[in-house]
Amino acid sequence: MNRCPHLTVLTALMASLFAAALTACGPSDRLHFRTLAPPTFSDSAVRYDTDRDGRADFQFSLDRSADRLDELAYDDNQDGQPDRRYRLSDYPNDQVPHLIVLIDSIPFFAIVERLRGKPHSVLHAFYPPAKVIAPYPSMSAVCFTDILRAPPMPGPINRHYDPRPQHRRVNNLIRKRFAGYRNPWQQRLHYNIDYRDNGTAFLMPRPWLHAEFERARLAFDESPDRTTVIYIASSASMLFKYQHAGLEEALDELERFVLQVLYERRGAVKISIASDHGHNLAYSTWLDIEQNLRDAGYRPTDRPRKPGDVHLEMDGLLTWFGVHTDRPAEVADALLARQPHLETFSYVEGHAVIVRSHLGRATVTLDERQRFTYSPDSADVLGLGSELSGVPLTRDQWLARTADHPFPDAPPRLWDAFHRGTRNVPQLMATLQDGYCAGIEWFQWFVTPHSTHGGLNQINSAAFAMTMRQPIPGPLRSRDVLAAFDPEYVPRLVSPPRR
């Protein structure tokens, strides 16, 4: 995508000023949690001073029997005594609206640490979070397609290669996205940020984070449906630009949003939250993978035709990239010889998925009983050890036994990446060590990647799901999240595509 840098910055500035103005206006409610003073605590209650006049005007109390925040108390005349009380647990799931918040890039460990470190967080109104293992590659479009059970994406990134003989060209969805097209998973959302705005959010994410949550709140108010699904994208920008500080600010904003919705609805709502993938919280150095391939004698091109032609699929600044090639094993050899920061390579060979690293090679196979077997050839590439090597296991067994492993649920995820992920799959997929990234070089001119994602390992892959509706047994895969929230809910088309 060739865009004028000066135009991009100007667009970003205008958009950010608009977002800030929208946030500053805020809703017209008497209490608004954007102006919240630090809350005060007792053993059983959290008190909020939303107008910063030194007197609490709202309270959230603990239900000790359930060990969860449950009762909302409104001090309308600010005399220090609640005038109205509402209990979240008094509302059955099927009698109140259900708001599903999909939030980008919040790792599982972060939500666990938030709950542990803030015993009075409004997130304690939810049942404990379940770990969710993302598909591979761990990128938003792939993950949210799974979560929302949408038709598969045509490629793992917006600008992908279509190798079918009648096409054999790059399919550039970026142009369609700028014209207003929404990918299939986005068509099932009641709110998500415009594609142009999403780009500017990476430059100035703070005002966009505030604006997105406000827009999402308005979308929920206007939704005619019992279940409303919103997506907050700018949390990813916060982590990308501000790392740990951005993560904490994104969670703070999420908490304020939850408080606002509960306050306005008098507790008559059930909220569920899920993220798509993890984030590595590592400053990342860009690697020139294209030059590595040129040095090895390959020709990167958008229209591979001859032996030695390759097409690189890279987006943003990620720990994942793909290569379209008719020689995946040879390309892997060439890159392993020139790039010390590669973590894994994978490709299909016969009826097996090959996974390689600088340590050596292993294979993943699937038998007629739908059991996956991981077999080290020259090395235990994934570090699964003798207990899990050469042992046929079902999908559920792999997830249960490896959810906390450095490479969680890796054999099924690697298999699915080539067999059921997207319609057009690169023949070679690679992940980089955390601290390194590949992708669009000019993106670094505007923002430095202080955290990114895409890979197969734990920090890139582990997301979370939590709800007010009922306890969720974990771990889960992304495709099981909505059923855990509400087994009867089927996402419908909210905004059909514009051609």
Side-chain angles (χ1 to χ4, degrees):
M1 177 175 60
N2 296 316
R3 299 180 64 193
C4 171
H6 301 296
L7 179 60
T8 302
V9 173
L10 179 60
T11 303
L13 180 60
M14 295 175 62
S16 297
L17 291 173
F18 166 75
L22 175 61
T23 304
C25 293
S28 58
D29 307 288
R30 184 176 64 85
L31 302 186
H32 183 42
F33 290 86
R34 283 284 304 127
T35 59
L36 186 66
T40 58
F41 313 111
S42 68
D43 289 343
S44 60
V46 191
R47 296 180 178 85
Y48 303 95
D49 175 13
T50 60
D51 55 9
R52 292 179 175 266
D53 66 353
R55 294 176 295 179
D57 40 36
F58 186 66
Q59 177 177 302
F60 214 156
S61 299
L62 179 70
D63 179 351
R64 293 192 178 279
S65 64
D67 196 29
R68 289 192 300 128
L69 292 171
D70 185 57
E71 184 183 78
L72 306 177
Y74 296 67
D75 186 0
D76 297 322
N77 56 13
Q78 291 189 314
D79 63 356
Q81 298 298 319
D83 299 296
R84 295 176 289 135
R85 298 177 184 269
Y86 305 91
R87 293 174 61 91
L88 275 62
S89 56
D90 285 343
Y91 301 104
N93 289 343
D94 60 354
Q95 294 184 19
V96 293
H98 183 198
L99 173 61
I100 298 176
V101 181
L102 303 179
I103 185 165
D104 206 309
S105 297
I106 304 298
F108 175 72
F109 83 86
I111 209 74
V112 171
E113 289 183 357
R114 169 66 57 128
L115 290 165
R116 184 185 300 122
K118 293 184 65 176
H120 298 94
S121 165
V122 68
L123 298 180
H124 285 284
F126 294 73
Y127 288 95
K131 177 181 282 191
V132 178
I133 302 302
Y136 175 71
S138 53
M139 300 192 300
S140 296
V142 178
C143 299
F144 284 128
T145 292
D146 254 19
I147 289 174
L148 292 166
R149 299 293 186 96
M153 292 285 293
I157 61 175
N158 280 312
R159 191 179 185 277
H160 59 274
Y161 182 66
D162 187 339
R164 293 175 296 175
Q166 66 270 35
H167 295 279
R168 299 185 68 183
R169 61 178 175 80
V170 169
N171 182 16
N172 191 353
L173 290 181
I174 294 174
R175 296 191 185 95
K176 292 178 66 177
R177 296 292 307 282
F178 273 111
Y181 174 76
R182 290 152 62 90
N183 286 318
W185 65 273
Q186 294 169 317
Q187 296 165 25
R188 287 150 175 82
L189 299 170
H190 293 76
Y191 165 78
N192 77 291
I193 194 170
D194 179 82
Y195 189 66
R196 293 175 185 271
D197 293 343
N198 194 29
T200 62
F202 274 90
L203 298 177
M204 300 178 183
R206 283 194 175 105
W208 275 112
L209 182 71
H210 305 327
E212 270 213 276
F213 273 111
E214 175 59 12
R215 290 175 174 182
R217 188 191 68 86
L218 295 173
F220 179 42
D221 285 347
E222 296 168 2
S223 172
D225 298 326
R226 175 58 60 91
T227 299
T228 300
V229 186
I230 62 172
Y231 165 50
I232 303 297
S234 49
S235 50
S237 313
M238 291 293 292
L239 273 77
F240 188 88
K241 188 168 184 178
Y242 301 118
Q243 204 182 71
H244 288 88
L247 172 60
E248 293 305 311
E249 288 184 50
L251 290 174
D252 288 343
E253 197 69 27
L254 173 64
E255 289 189 3
R256 284 190 286 264
F257 173 78
V258 170
L259 276 169
Q260 191 72 41
V261 170
L262 289 175
Y263 160 74
E264 292 176 8
R265 300 280 175 144
R266 300 178 179 85
V269 60
K270 301 297 182 183
I271 304 175
S272 302
I273 310 173
S275 61
D276 49 350
H277 51 68
H279 237 252
N280 61 24
L281 299 173
Y283 170 83
S284 298
T285 300
W286 180 77
L287 300 176
D288 194 343
I289 303 299
E290 182 174 320
Q291 188 59 50
N292 291 156
L293 288 170
R294 292 187 188 280
D295 292 343
Y298 292 95
R299 293 181 296 277
T301 176
D302 282 352
R303 301 180 69 86
R305 293 288 187 273
K306 304 174 184 177
D309 286 355
V310 295
H311 175 74
L312 272 169
E313 282 193 351
M314 298 188 294
D315 194 16
L317 296 168
L318 300 172
T319 61
W320 176 94
F321 66 89
V323 184
H324 284 269
T325 173
D326 57 359
R327 304 174 182 179
E330 293 180 16
V331 173
D333 289 338
L335 287 174
L336 283 168
R338 289 165 175 79
Q339 186 48 257
H341 303 298
L342 289 162
E343 187 169 69
T344 63
F345 271 118
S346 51
Y347 52 89
V348 174
E349 186 175 275
H351 295 291
V353 172
I354 308 301
V355 54
R356 295 174 58 184
S357 72
H358 288 286
L359 297 174
R361 160 183 160 134
T363 61
V364 175
T365 55
L366 179 66
D367 64 23
E368 67 279 359
R369 296 172 61 184
Q370 297 300 298
R371 299 177 304 175
F372 298 87
T373 301
Y374 167 77
S375 303
D377 295 341
S378 59
D380 183 2
V381 176
L382 299 177
L384 291 171
S386 58
E387 291 186 2
L388 294 172
S389 297
V391 181
L393 297 173
T394 65
R395 288 182 181 276
D396 290 343
Q397 289 170 330
W398 274 112
L399 179 62
R401 296 182 67 172
T402 66
D404 297 326
H405 188 271
F407 293 100
D409 198 28
R413 294 168 68 210
L414 285 166
W415 184 272
D416 289 349
F418 290 98
H419 294 92
R420 57 184 289 182
T422 58
R423 297 203 302 269
N424 298 301
V425 180
Q427 287 74 42
L428 180 68
M429 298 192 196
T431 62
L432 299 168
Q433 298 168 359
D434 290 325
Y436 300 90
C437 63
I440 302 171
E441 183 181 11
W442 63 261
F443 204 63
Q444 300 177 100
W445 303 346
F446 303 106
V447 61
T448 301
H450 286 89
S451 181
T452 188
H453 63 94
L456 189 65
N457 64 16
Q458 180 75 214
I459 193 67
N460 283 258
S461 307
F464 79 95
M466 61 195 306
T467 182
M468 294 177 175
R469 292 169 61 89
Q470 65 273 323
I472 299 178
L476 303 172
R477 292 187 178 89
S478 296
R479 68 178 69 101
D480 301 321
V481 166
L482 287 191
F485 290 161
D486 181 356
E488 297 183 358
Y489 175 64
V490 177
R492 68 178 185 85
L493 282 179
V494 176
S495 54
R498 288 186 287 173
R499 300 296 181 183

